[in-house]
Each structure stands twice: as C-alpha cells, then as structure tokens.
Amino acid sequence: MAGRRDYYEILGVSRDADEREIKRAFRALARELHPDVSEHPDAEERFREAAEAYEVLSKPETRELYDRFGHDGLRTGGFRPTDFDFTSLADIFSAFFGEDLFGAAAGRPTRGRDILVETSIDLAEAAEGVTRPVTFSATVTCSTCDGDGAEPGTETETCEQCGGTGRLQSVSNTVFGQFVRTQACGRCGGSGRTIPHPCKTCRGSGRVREERTVEVEIPPGIHDGQRIRLAGEGDAASAGGRAGDLYVHVGVRPDHRFVRDGNDIVSTLDLTMTQAALGARIAVPTLDGETELDVAAGTQPGEVVRLRGKGMPVLQGFGRGDHRIVVNVLVPRHLTDEQRAALEEFDRGATDETYRADEGFLSRLRAAFR
Ligand SMILES: [Zn+2]
Ligand SMILES: [Zn+2]
C-alpha cells in the first residue's frame, strides 16, 4: 500500500508516545476537523484518516502489529478500519469525549455571566469625565448561607449518587471500542453535595438575584458607543467559579451647540454683515463655558477661528483637541427705506479694493475640516 501516511505522523506524535498522548493528539485533531466547525475542505477525509490512526494506535495488539510490520502487517493480520457513518459523528463525539467537546465540562465550576448595561451622558460630561451610578439586576452569592445553599446551622452532605465527585460514569460502545462517558451527576447537579435543609433565602441554590448599583468612572474623552468593562462585577458563578464581567455601554448625547469631530469640536458663529465688516467682540459657547471671541474686521463667511486645546480631551492620552468655529455671515433681508438708501450710498463708494480677498471661500471651508 504505497503512499499511505504513517499513523504516528497523522496524529503528530512520536513512536514512543503513550496512550494518553495518543488520545490527546486525536482529541485535538478531532476538535479541529469536526465537520460542524472545520473550514478544511477535506475535513471529513482527514477525520477518517485520524480516526483510523487512532483506532490502530490506541489498541496494544494492533499498535504492535503496525510497529513491526506497518500497513501491510495490519492487512495480513486481518485488520480493517471501521467504516463508520458520518451522520452519527455527533454521537461518536459525545460518546468519546463526554459532553464537553464544545461546552463546559461536567462538574467543573462555570464562570458567571457577563452583564451589559447602558448609560448616557452629555457631551460636556464626556469632556470632563464623570462618575455615574448604574443599576442592574445581577446574581450574587446568597448572604444567608454564604453560598453553600444550606440553612444556617445545618450542613450539606456528600451526594450518595456520585460519592461526592459530582460526576457519573457510563460505558458506551462506539466504533472506537468501549468508552467511559462522564456526565454531571443529576442528583447534586455536579456539586458533589446534597442539601437536606435548603437555605430559605435562595432555596438551596446559593445564589440570589439582586438589584445592584455600581459607580462607574467614565474617563474624559470617551466616544459615543464605547464600552467600559468592570471585571468581576457581573453575575456570581456557581461555587468556585469566577464572576462574570459588567460592561457599561456609554452613549454620548449630542449637544445642539457643537458637533464632535474626533477630538475636535466644531461650532458655527453667525455674524451680522456689519460685525463681519467692522470686527466685533462676541460671546461664544465652548465646552469650558462662554468665552469672548475677538472677530477681526473683514472676517469672511466660511472663515475658521481655531481655539487651540479647547476641544475634547484625548481618551487615555494627553492634551485636548481644538475647537473650530466656522463663521457664517448673515445677509440682511428686510430693509427699511433708510437702510436701503444707506447701503446704496455705501455701494456707490465701493471699489474692487473694498472686496479684495486674500483667499477664496472654498479654501477657507476646507480649512474648517482639516
Ligand atoms: Zn442561601
Ligand atoms: Zn452527585
């Protein structure tokens, strides 16, 4: 049988690998090649190959035959690999590996669930950073029984069904031979203990649901939709396990005065035609409150006034972005006769020099979004 791959090579183990190494290697391969999860196009064929290698190397008599005489030795020795039906693969896996192939192992403590809560803050709060209480419902360790589930003054007992191991074994026959399958004990739920007098507060579960409030520190500069993780503030786990995490989704409410552009703040400023032409001192809102802005004479629509370091703080960094103020010039629409006459009088005296611009409107607008 030329071209047949070496069984040790298929499993990726050395020739003197012991039974446990062989089983571990096959198990790892089987996980990788499981048709439900594998993206290998030839997963089924490779699984079949690995299963055959495992079938031979896991039994001392076929392994010895193979070691001495190779593939030919097996064939003349009458060995035929089991031809199994792939539709029953899931059953084979659960028989071979127990129930824990892709999930939690029986009887092992599980981690508590993560919890997601939402909160929203104003843009100004996002700029300053803020501490915000968030309230949510979480599973916590029962304080009446300290989590063991027994009424105070009574004791838990060793489970008679599993002898305190939390696991029960059953034997199944599979294509790989007989396998011992381990499951969580149904009587004690895998804890190994039974509770003759369950705690009245938690009915023996050792855990209760509770409204909890946690103060969340929201750092300056946070962006809309970012999450803050508080490790271990999620649901309590069953005995021995680690608590889940709390995730706080932070929404930043828009501010009608400002638009946020990364770490910069952009706002607009309406100037009257005469303020723009003559210059003016005007109060403008910033994240730090109102500030007086000196508008130069001859300020053009679309011009940008940049307030350095008045934007949003850099999240977990140093400094702040800028506040860019984009100027809009209001053109009067409802003139009295006197105003009209005055403007016409002004226009008669105007020359090209009156309107000479140093740069165009578009380049100023572009500067606003740099
Ligand atoms: Zn309790
Ligand atoms: Zn038990």
Side-chain angles (χ1 to χ4, degrees):
M1 284 210 180
R4 298 205 55 176
R5 284 180 70 200
D6 176 58
Y7 287 144
Y8 292 98
E9 196 186 303
I10 290 167
L11 294 183
V13 295
S14 67
R15 295 196 85 81
D16 54 8
D18 65 20
E19 215 173 299
R20 283 182 52 198
E21 283 175 70
I22 287 168
K23 183 166 183 175
R24 206 182 308 130
F26 174 57
R27 187 187 165 116
L29 265 180
R31 275 173 189 276
E32 189 193 327
L33 298 173
H34 188 290
D36 289 351
V37 299
S38 182
E39 310 232 311
H40 292 287
D42 55 348
E44 207 172 287
E45 191 46 46
R46 286 186 58 198
F47 180 84
R48 196 186 291 273
E49 196 181 52
E52 186 184 315
Y54 178 76
E55 193 177 3
V56 169
L57 299 184
S58 61
K59 288 197 223 85
E61 56 283 7
T62 45
R63 183 176 179 180
E64 199 194 323
L65 208 56
Y66 176 71
D67 282 349
R68 292 177 64 186
F69 306 109
H71 290 294
D72 289 344
L74 285 173
R75 197 165 33 103
T76 49
F79 170 79
R80 284 195 56 223
T82 309
D83 196 14
F84 52 79
D85 174 11
F86 273 87
T87 56
S88 63
L89 206 55
D91 293 339
I92 297 167
F93 269 73
S94 78
F96 187 65
F97 297 121
E99 283 169 306
D100 63 336
L101 183 58
F102 299 109
R108 217 176 283 162
T110 51
R111 188 173 165 274
R113 274 188 323 130
D114 291 337
I115 297 175
L116 175 68
V117 284
E118 293 184 18
T119 190
S120 48
I121 60 173
D122 293 332
L123 187 66
E125 291 173 318
E128 293 250 307
V130 63
T131 303
R132 187 44 66 92
V134 293
T135 301
F136 53 97
S137 163
T139 302
V140 297
T141 302
C142 173
S143 57
T144 309
C145 62
D146 272 336
D148 74 3
E151 189 66 13
T154 71
E155 295 291 324
T156 62
E157 287 172 4
T158 302
C159 174
E160 285 170 18
Q161 189 87 26
C162 62
T165 62
R167 293 180 295 278
L168 290 178
Q169 296 187 327
S170 60
V171 176
S172 342
N173 292 307
T174 78
V175 290
F176 303 118
Q178 276 201 337
F179 284 100
V180 177
R181 176 181 184 176
T182 301
Q183 280 176 292
C185 170
R187 174 117 187 247
C188 63
S191 67
R193 313 288 298 171
T194 53
I195 305 162
H197 307 285
C199 165
K200 289 187 184 70
T201 309
C202 63
R203 293 200 209 90
S205 71
R207 299 190 295 168
V208 288
R209 278 201 93 67
E210 195 182 81
E211 279 281 275
R212 283 180 60 206
T213 299
V214 166
E215 297 285 328
V216 188
E217 244 182 75
I218 300 171
I222 195 156
H223 292 265
D224 181 43
Q226 284 187 315
R227 285 180 180 188
I228 297 171
R229 174 170 166 263
L230 284 85
E233 296 284 357
D235 277 347
S238 58
R242 198 165 68 79
D245 298 335
L246 175 69
Y247 287 91
V248 182
H249 174 105
V250 180
V252 179
R253 283 189 289 266
D255 190 306
H256 70 277
R257 300 167 303 168
F258 309 119
V259 172
R260 186 178 187 173
D261 179 23
N263 292 321
D264 282 359
I265 289 291
V266 181
S267 64
T268 58
L269 173 64
D270 287 340
L271 295 180
T272 66
M273 188 179 71
T274 42
Q275 283 174 324
L278 304 176
R281 165 167 278 226
I282 293 171
V284 293
T286 71
L287 289 173
D288 304 329
E290 288 214 333
T291 187
E292 295 280 311
L293 188 70
D294 281 317
V295 176
T299 294
Q300 302 293 315
E303 207 160 287
V304 176
V305 182
R306 189 177 285 265
L307 304 176
R308 301 231 171 248
K310 291 286 186 188
M312 293 295 286
V314 180
L315 185 65
Q316 281 160 351
F318 299 100
R320 291 171 62 172
D322 296 338
H323 184 156
R324 305 193 306 263
I325 298 172
V326 183
V327 173
N328 178 36
V329 177
L330 301 173
V331 176
R333 304 179 73 168
H334 307 286
L335 300 174
T336 63
D337 291 344
E338 291 78 18
Q339 287 167 333
R340 176 179 298 275
L343 280 179
E344 283 166 354
E345 175 61 28
F346 162 78
D347 203 38
R348 270 191 290 277
T351 63
D352 280 356
E353 183 59 21
T354 313
Y355 290 102
R356 187 173 58 79
D358 298 324
E359 57 174 347
F361 177 77
L362 259 180
S363 70
R364 286 195 301 276
L365 203 59
R366 258 184 227 112
F369 292 98
R370 265 205 297 264

